[in-house]
């Protein structure tokens, strides 16, 4: 892929996400490309997040420091979440009659990260020029990610409704979070003063 092709695909992603997903699916890229793409976007996103952390006035917040203070830890968390998202997009969609492959799911989930990464760059500039607007850019980036992910998964599996996929993503996310909470409680225990 050339830089022009990537720019065209990014433009198409913003204008017609389902058409962009169809184009990516048609490439029939192997599973290894999906994993590599996920690793790349995880590293880039973690690096930009770390720069934002260094420029942020809330560096002293322990929660923010735990998440963004180490680019390596952030990249590993990001990669794990993307891998889980890609696998669940493939597996859950398949349980509901979807036709997408694991390789396609990984590539699409990795590509969905690209527009929000571009917005991370905008957010870094905004933090310097107009710090009060930086959180708004972050919210727009998250909303864009949610819309693109829903439409890409719908196109991956041939589902008609992106809205139904969005609510499916919310339900699966809730179940995964609940399962993780029970697992952590089992492994670590529940604090006594809660």
């Amino acid at each position: 892929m050339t830089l022009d092709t990537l720019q065209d695909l990014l433009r198409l992603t913003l204008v017609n996400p389902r058409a962009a997903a169809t184009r990516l699916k048609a490439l029939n890229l192997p599973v290894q490309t999906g994993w590599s793409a996920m690793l790349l976007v995880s590293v880039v996103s973690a690096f930009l997040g770390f720069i934002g952390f260094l420029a942020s006035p809330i560096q002293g917040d322990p929660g923010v420091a735990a998440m963004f203070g180490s680019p390596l830890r952030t990249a590993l968390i990001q990669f794990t979440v993307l891998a889980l998202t890609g696998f669940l997009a493939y597996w859950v969609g398949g349980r509901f009659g979807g036709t997408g492959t694991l390789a396609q799911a990984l590539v699409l989930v990795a590509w969905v990260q690209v527009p929000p990464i571009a917005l991370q760059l905008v957010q870094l500039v905004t933090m310097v020029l107009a710090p009060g607007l930086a959180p708004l850019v972050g919210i727009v980036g998250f909303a864009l990610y949610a819309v693109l992910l829903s439409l890409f998964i719908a196109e991956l599996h041939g589902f008609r409704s992106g809205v139904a996929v969005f609510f499916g993503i919310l339900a699966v996310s809730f179940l995964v979070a609940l399962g993780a909470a029970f697992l952590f409680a089992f492994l670590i225990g529940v604090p006594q003063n809660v």
Side-chain angles (χ1 to χ4, degrees):
M1 279 192 158
T2 65
L3 184 58
D4 287 340
T5 306
L6 290 174
Q7 287 175 337
D8 288 343
L9 188 56
L10 179 58
R11 194 174 305 111
L12 184 61
T13 300
L14 297 173
V15 174
N16 188 346
R18 292 189 78 136
T22 299
R23 187 179 293 180
L24 283 166
K25 277 177 60 177
L27 295 174
N28 288 320
L29 298 169
V31 170
Q32 295 85 353
T33 301
W35 291 123
S36 299
M38 282 188 172
L39 183 59
L40 178 62
V41 295
S42 297
V43 168
V44 171
S45 181
F47 177 72
L48 293 174
F50 181 67
I51 292 173
F53 167 73
L54 293 177
S56 173
I58 56 172
Q59 284 185 35
D61 184 310
V64 173
M67 182 63 189
F68 297 106
S70 166
L72 179 59
R73 180 175 49 239
T74 304
L76 287 173
I77 291 169
Q78 177 94 359
F79 180 78
T80 302
V81 169
L82 286 180
L84 184 61
T85 302
F87 175 76
L88 288 173
Y90 159 71
W91 187 77
V92 174
R95 304 288 76 69
F96 285 90
T99 57
T101 67
L102 178 61
Q104 291 169 336
L106 297 178
V107 168
L108 291 179
V109 168
W111 181 260
V112 163
Q113 300 297 311
V114 174
I117 285 174
L119 278 176
Q120 269 186 286
L121 288 169
V122 172
Q123 189 175 27
L124 286 175
V125 172
T126 306
M127 287 174 76
V128 174
L129 300 178
L133 294 178
L136 180 61
V137 175
I139 291 168
V140 169
F142 181 76
L144 178 64
Y145 171 75
V147 169
L148 291 178
L149 183 63
S150 301
L151 294 174
F152 269 47
I153 292 174
E155 193 61 31
L156 167 68
H157 288 298
F159 299 147
R160 284 194 309 211
S161 174
V163 174
V165 171
F166 173 75
F167 285 110
I169 291 170
L170 288 181
V172 170
S173 299
F174 174 76
L175 292 174
V176 168
L178 190 62
F182 279 120
L183 179 64
F184 285 127
F186 176 74
L187 295 175
I188 299 170
V190 178
Q192 296 301 316
N193 55 356
V194 174

